[in-house]
Amino acid sequence: MTSRINVLLSDQSIPAHWGKSNISFAGDSVTIHLADSPDAARAVQAAARKLTNQGIRDVALAGEGWTEALQWRFASGFGEALEPGTIEWNGAGDQLEAQRDAALWLKSLTHASPEALSPEVLADEVAERLTALAPEKITSRRIVGEALLAAGWVGIHGVGRGSDRPPVMLELDYNPTGDTNAPVSVALVGKGITFDSGGYSIKPSTGMVTMKCDMGGAATVAAALKLAIRRGLDKRVKLYLCCAENLVSGHAYKLGDILHYKNGTSVEIVNTDAEGRLVLADGLIAANEAGAERIIDAATLTGAAMVALGSDYNALFCGDDAVAAEALTAAAKADEGLWRLPLAPIHADKCPSVFADTANSVAQKGGGGGGASNAAGFLSRFAGTPPKGWIHLDLAGSYVGGNGQNHEGATALGLLTVTELLMQA
């Protein structure tokens, strides 16, 4: 179909002759019936998937009942990974279009092939796209390859040294104040593993085929900053993207290696597939060096978070109850699933090593029991104590196979939560 379809909402039950569906058709209009749906938002998103599966790619959200939240739910379910389709909004069009633009950019980055999106390409794309929004307010710099080691960023260098394409740390400074001494209100840290083979702890093919998505954390925080800037963000924010390919070669890091971080922490490598926390550690140290008042990191970090929460929620880790409550409130306002999992001081010691201060994991399948909390505990060694707190988001739901709510690939779950936290900073 190529003609625009009007999509209406109804609080009436669907006529019996339409069967169990909640969608009825009349001419060039479709009606989504919500009377028998216990969760209107999920029903609208599921209806958008059904319409997509019937070949509809051009819609207008018409009539009454279209709240901003329901329109966004429809947009979240509509379209395919490479064919997003077009939507005519029913009110709040500028804001919704900005959100969709950010989400589609996030998805395009995540869906890019590993060959097309090297660490340097990812860093350059983010820097160029964000700088174009506010060139007088943004500066950036890249630290590439061996320069990382000279600067002390041993995690990014160690993970990325096995690839012929060098690892990169991108530091981007958005400073709308014009004051070079203005405090950094928030530091965003994103895991940017553009392809994750697992290294010498190599993944099976079934686990590796989607690993172009392992830069989803970097895409999420970059897109959130983009959206916040468009919304008029007036606080200084620094963005750190920790970009590398985790590959196997004669130069790759190995099990038993010891990394010595700038903050004095030594780390024994017991699993080269637990690489995300190694690069994030550098980003967290950099954020602390910048004196950030709040630090938010985002990463497709552990399968354990996905096992715990599935694809409807991201995992929240935070050592401060008040700060955790702020994050959960932001997620609720954004209508995004976020669930707090345990992070206590004991978790910093859950990856013990005889040869270093800590190991990067536990030498068990999946990192052993409590793997997501153990990974967060590892990161807590590098997070410092920013006065407004540290928030770690394990993006369990950010990349899923096609289901009744989302197309295959990136979901952009977490984008609006991070944006909301930036606007509230």
Side-chain angles (χ1 to χ4, degrees):
M1 296 184 183
T2 57
S3 60
R4 175 163 292 179
I5 300 295
N6 292 316
V7 182
L8 308 171
L9 296 179
S10 173
D11 58 5
Q12 303 296 312
S13 295
I14 192 167
H17 64 269
W18 289 101
K20 295 182 179 180
S21 174
N22 69 332
I23 301 175
S24 64
F25 293 82
D28 62 353
S29 295
V30 174
T31 299
I32 304 172
H33 296 264
L34 301 178
D36 302 314
S37 300
D39 186 332
R42 289 185 64 84
V44 166
Q45 190 167 340
R49 290 303 312 140
K50 293 175 185 176
L51 295 178
T52 298
N53 291 338
Q54 294 190 33
I56 295 172
R57 296 292 185 272
D58 188 4
V59 300
L61 306 183
E64 299 180 352
W66 283 108
T67 64
E68 187 177 322
L70 287 180
Q71 290 185 80
W72 185 247
R73 279 294 193 133
F74 184 93
S76 298
F78 187 63
E80 299 289 9
L82 298 181
E83 193 178 1
T86 60
I87 301 173
E88 181 180 309
W89 306 104
N90 189 328
D94 289 345
Q95 177 161 319
L96 288 165
E97 195 58 36
Q99 287 180 191
R100 194 163 195 241
D101 176 68
L104 292 179
W105 181 47
L106 185 164
K107 292 181 179 185
S108 71
L109 288 172
T110 308
H111 295 154
S113 73
E115 182 62 25
L117 197 76
S118 69
E120 287 186 284
V121 170
L122 173 59
D124 288 347
E125 162 74 7
V126 168
E128 290 170 8
R129 188 69 67 95
L130 293 180
T131 300
L133 280 179
E136 73 286 356
K137 300 175 183 177
I138 290 178
T139 58
S140 65
R141 66 174 184 139
R142 302 184 320 157
I143 306 173
V144 183
E146 294 305 305
L148 288 163
L149 196 58
W153 304 124
V154 297
I156 301 172
H157 178 271
V159 171
R161 75 188 197 199
S163 173
D164 289 337
R165 302 196 291 185
V168 182
M169 176 189 275
L170 171 68
E171 177 186 340
L172 185 142
D173 185 357
Y174 170 72
N175 187 2
T177 71
D179 178 4
T180 57
N181 295 315
V184 177
S185 180
V186 181
L188 299 172
V189 180
K191 174 186 172 185
I193 302 298
T194 56
F195 186 72
D196 181 19
S197 73
Y200 279 106
S201 305
I202 196 164
K203 295 176 182 288
S205 292
T206 53
M208 202 188 302
V209 68
T210 61
M211 282 299 104
K212 65 183 181 182
C213 84
D214 216 15
M215 38 60 65
T220 298
V221 292
L225 180 54
K226 177 183 181 182
L227 180 55
I229 292 171
R230 292 189 65 176
R231 288 186 179 179
L233 179 66
D234 60 359
K235 302 290 180 62
R236 188 178 187 182
V237 174
K238 283 200 171 186
L239 173 71
Y240 298 92
L241 299 189
C242 309
C243 308
E245 288 181 318
N246 186 20
L247 300 182
V248 176
S249 75
H251 302 290
Y253 76 132
K254 301 170 288 295
L255 286 80
D257 283 349
I258 307 289
L259 299 181
H260 295 273
Y261 281 86
K262 288 179 74 173
N263 71 344
T265 303
S266 59
V267 177
E268 180 189 6
I269 306 304
V270 300
N271 183 351
T272 60
D273 196 22
E275 86 298 331
R277 65 200 71 179
L278 297 174
V279 302
L280 286 176
D282 281 337
L284 292 173
I285 293 171
N288 276 285
E289 288 183 350
E293 296 175 351
R294 165 161 290 172
I295 300 174
I296 303 169
D297 79 67
T300 49
L301 201 64
T302 67
M306 185 72 175
V307 171
L309 300 177
S311 60
D312 295 309
Y313 292 84
N314 288 326
L316 165 67
F317 296 90
C318 184
D320 184 296
D321 290 344
V323 175
E326 289 182 39
L328 292 169
T329 299
K333 184 175 180 179
D335 190 26
E336 291 189 327
L338 183 66
W339 198 266
R340 190 181 183 187
L341 293 181
L343 175 60
I346 58 171
H347 289 108
D349 298 316
K350 289 292 188 178
C351 300
S353 170
V354 174
F355 303 105
D357 296 324
T358 183
N360 72 320
S361 186
V362 177
Q364 297 178 23
K365 181 177 176 60
S373 291
N374 297 345
F378 175 91
L379 291 176
S380 71
R381 291 173 172 268
F382 305 90
T385 55
K388 293 184 180 178
W390 164 58
I391 294 168
H392 165 51
L393 301 175
D394 196 333
L395 302 180
S398 69
Y399 196 95
V400 299
N403 56 27
Q405 294 285 311
N406 303 282
H407 59 62
E408 294 214 13
T411 67
L413 184 67
L415 165 64
L416 299 186
T417 299
V418 178
T419 303
E420 189 64 33
L421 285 167
L422 287 173
M423 299 307 295
Q424 293 176 2

